[in-house]
Amino acid sequence: TDAIALVEEIRKEEPLITASCKEHVIHLVRRLQEKLGEKEDHKFCLFKVLRAHILPLTNVAFNKSGSRFITGSYDRTCKVWDTASGEELHTLEGHGNVVYAIAFNNPYGDKIATGSFDKTCKLWSTETGKCYHTFRGHSAEIVCLSFNLQSTLVATGSMDTTAKLWNIEKGEEIVTLSGHSAEIIALSFNTTGDRIITGSFDHTVAVWDVGTGRMLHTLIGHRGEISSAQFNWDCSLIVTGSMDKTCMLWNAMTGTHIATLTGHSDEILDVCFDYAGQRIATASADGSARVYNAETKKCIAKLEGHGGEISKVCFNPKGSRILTASSDKTARLWDAATGHCLQILEGHTDEIFSCAFNYKGDIIITGSKDNTCRIWH
């Protein structure tokens, strides 16, 4: 695409892009073109094995740049790591039970939230490891949490059937989202931060207004427990995965069902959009992953080769690669367009349940039941 012509087109539609910033936008478009055009034959090699915890890990997560990552564990702690050296920076201690859900407040990355089976969520400083707030109020285990992108709120989902929104600055509860009849095990904000979705064992996903805490829509159609739910980047679509072996696509504004993506022969354990919202990846207990086109709803690739269930799937930020984590003790890297397996990341001695890319897409972390976390460059 001609970058100059493209920016002219954008300027016609977007009054905020004035003549004075035109050059800068052209520069950004060209940089994006370079990034998308980079050759991709990166082979990942094991960089470090971290014997992170004395008990199994529950989760791993990167900050946006990938300079730091965190691990949660049954040992009741969360650890903060320096990716480049593989050194432990902080141990976040204070929970009275399993630390199950963890997150950075990306894109900033200066705060960490931990959700625990002790029914509390804690907010920590990434730099000092100090605890800012302990959020109390749930009457059962916290199993999922998420920051909004604006980094003003953290949401927690619990086995008590409710989700809660907490003010990060004040350390106070803002609202309780009540309406599900069973445990909430997935939640996620949309990009603009005005909506949040909760997925429950009651087979439904609820769409909530963040400002008022009102339930706007209930997405009804799945015949099994929800395993994951996500908005696409422009907040127009919601994808849901369920134990009923299907994945469903919904209109985020109206809550109406758009399509059911079928083909898996067992439970769907994870679903995700690429950043452009054009493709959907599903991971299943049948040992395969699939890629669907969000526009045509057709299956465009089957990722076959794992010898056990796949619990996690994610796209690299560019959307050209897919990473899967499996109970067969390996993680695999796939070409998102063709479904070809490009690499098998071997070495863990027990199932891998967590995997993540850094923002650049050149570092991977995998977390396993073998109590270790591996960094791949």
Side-chain angles (χ1 to χ4, degrees), residues 339-350:
H340 288 314
C341 179
L342 302 169
Q343 208 180 337
I344 303 175
L345 306 180
E346 293 177 294
H348 279 294
T349 57
D350 206 336

Side-chain angles (χ1 to χ4, degrees), residues 9-281:
E9 254 175 74
I10 295 170
R11 274 192 61 202
K12 279 184 200 133
E13 306 244 323
E14 183 49 80
L16 286 174
I17 297 179
T18 55
S20 61
C21 61
K22 182 177 141 182
E23 285 309 313
H24 185 56
V25 179
I26 291 170
H27 168 70
L28 289 174
V29 169
R30 286 190 173 138
R31 261 185 58 193
L32 181 62
Q33 285 177 327
E34 271 169 39
K35 201 169 168 59
L36 292 172
E38 280 168 12
K39 273 279 163 280
E40 278 200 303
D41 39 15
H42 187 76
K43 271 273 182 270
F44 288 89
C45 297
L46 179 64
F47 166 64
K48 220 159 199 180
V49 179
L50 306 176
R51 306 231 160 259
H53 296 270
I54 51 170
L55 289 172
L57 280 77
T58 54
N59 239 316
V60 297
F62 271 118
N63 64 355
K64 184 167 173 177
S65 71
S67 62
R68 303 256 188 287
F69 67 92
I70 46 179
T71 53
S73 169
Y74 280 84
D75 71 9
R76 306 179 177 195
T77 72
C78 171
K79 294 192 180 212
V80 188
W81 305 84
D82 178 81
T83 313
S85 64
E87 279 179 56
E88 184 184 315
L89 299 174
H90 303 292
T91 299
L92 310 181
E93 287 178 302
H95 280 297
N97 209 327
V98 176
V99 173
Y100 195 74
I102 56 176
F104 278 102
N105 64 330
N106 290 340
Y108 306 100
D110 62 324
K111 295 182 185 75
I112 293 162
T114 54
S116 169
F117 285 2
D118 70 8
K119 309 172 193 173
T120 73
C121 170
K122 288 179 183 280
L123 189 71
W124 313 78
S125 160
T126 303
E127 282 319 300
T128 66
K130 292 271 182 295
C131 181
Y132 290 123
H133 303 297
T134 300
F135 299 126
R136 300 174 202 280
H138 280 296
S139 59
E141 296 89 339
I142 292 173
V143 291
C144 51
L145 58 77
S146 180
F147 283 98
N148 62 350
L149 272 181
Q150 295 70 27
S151 201
T152 54
L153 304 174
V154 67
T156 52
S158 167
M159 301 298 266
D160 67 13
T161 77
T162 73
K164 290 178 185 282
L165 302 180
W166 312 83
N167 179 307
I168 285 177
E169 229 14 76
K170 296 186 176 143
E172 294 164 2
E173 180 182 325
I174 294 174
V175 71
T176 296
L177 310 179
S178 302
H180 282 295
S181 60
E183 300 87 339
I184 291 174
I185 58 109
L187 50 76
S188 82
F189 282 98
N190 66 353
T191 317
T192 49
D194 61 339
R195 299 274 183 275
I196 188 168
I197 47 178
T198 52
S200 167
F201 278 180
D202 67 12
H203 305 184
T204 72
V205 172
V207 184
W208 311 80
D209 179 278
V210 168
T212 62
R214 259 192 30 227
M215 192 192 282
L216 300 175
H217 309 293
T218 308
L219 311 183
I220 299 174
H222 280 297
R223 293 177 175 191
E225 298 164 357
I226 304 296
S227 57
S228 60
Q230 213 187 42
F231 283 94
N232 65 342
W233 184 255
D234 73 3
C235 317
S236 61
L237 298 173
I238 293 166
V239 69
T240 56
S242 164
M243 300 302 184
D244 68 8
K245 310 176 189 175
T246 73
C247 173
M248 291 189 181
L249 207 53
W250 313 78
N251 177 313
M253 290 315 293
T254 62
T256 49
H257 174 269
I258 296 171
T260 301
L261 311 178
T262 57
H264 282 294
S265 59
D266 207 339
E267 303 171 343
I268 290 186
L269 303 177
D270 197 23
V271 295
C272 65
F273 279 107
D274 66 1
Y275 279 100
Q278 294 166 334
R279 289 179 182 160
I280 296 156

Side-chain angles (χ1 to χ4, degrees), residues 283-294:
S284 170
D286 67 16
S288 76
R290 285 174 174 242
V291 187
Y292 296 86
N293 179 312

